[in-house]
Amino acid sequence: MTRTDTRDDTHTARTLERQALFGTGLAVPSTWDIVDVREGDHDGLPVTVVRRQPDGYRLGGPHATVVADRDGRLLGYTCLRANDPASLLDRAESRRAAFDLIRRAAGAYADDLAVQWIKRHDETVTEADGSVRAVTGMKVKTRHADGRYTWAVVGPGGTVLTYERGISWDAARARRGTSMWLHDKWIAAHDGLGPQPEPPYATAH
């Protein structure tokens, strides 16, 4: 599960990225370069993780990441860049936007999801000049009938910032069980570049 040479894998990564996002309404910034392609694991399922950034590979910076299995099924997506929370949707609108996305991305899987909660979700990104900018949305967290969790973070104007599907919870350790390929703090620990994140983050192996 190490980083690969993106020069060799860019074409394959773009093809997988397009396949995973097709029909979902989600997109990645075409002007951002693919800076990292790696093979990983999603609860035992092999996945490919494709990362784009506007200013080279840099943890903590704006990025767009797609996680897909070998069949091109979308399991994770994020596009984190500074935004203005002034036009955030309300809870009902956020729920509709989240389920619209989940149905496009996962079809009938959405029928077995029950909403757990909806609330504001804040993150930050560090720009190339060192300035820290806010990324804000409304997180719609759901639980599937199989016991796993799926959520979407709906940003200003209804743009989906993040989507994750089929996430397990390790109750014994009070931590997420599924790898966190969209989250830079977890990536840093996984790559030996930072400390192990505290719960509720997953343990980085």
Side-chain angles (χ1 to χ4, degrees), residues 98-118:
F99 271 86
D100 285 348
L101 175 276
I102 296 168
R103 289 190 183 95
R104 292 194 301 269
Y109 182 84
D111 297 338
D112 293 319
L113 295 173
V115 174
Q116 302 292 288
W117 45 258
I118 303 171

Side-chain angles (χ1 to χ4, degrees), residues 76-191:
Y77 162 89
T78 197
C79 187
L80 292 185
R81 48 186 167 183
N83 62 19
D84 181 355
S87 56
L88 279 181
L89 304 185
D90 63 22
R91 289 167 55 88
E93 293 169 330
S94 297
R95 185 188 190 283
R96 284 194 295 272
F99 271 86
D100 285 348
L101 175 276
I102 296 168
R103 289 190 183 95
R104 292 194 301 269
Y109 182 84
D111 297 338
D112 293 319
L113 295 173
V115 174
Q116 302 292 288
W117 45 258
I118 303 171
K119 62 184 180 182
R120 179 165 166 155
H121 179 82
D122 295 295
E123 297 191 42
T124 60
V125 291
T126 303
E127 304 289 356
D129 64 4
S131 61
V132 178
R133 305 284 301 280
V135 185
T136 301
M138 294 288 285
K139 185 171 183 176
V140 181
K141 184 175 181 180
T142 72
R143 190 171 191 265
H144 193 266
D146 67 7
R148 296 175 182 267
Y149 296 89
T150 291
W151 53 76
V153 179
V154 181
T159 300
V160 173
L161 307 178
T162 300
Y163 163 69
E164 292 196 82
R165 169 181 172 172
I167 305 302
S168 64
W169 178 253
D170 185 343
R173 295 180 174 84
R175 287 180 178 267
R176 171 170 158 158
T178 307
S179 299
M180 301 180 70
W181 300 111
L182 304 183
H183 303 267
D184 282 6
K185 184 187 297 185
W186 186 90
I187 293 284
H190 174 272
D191 290 351

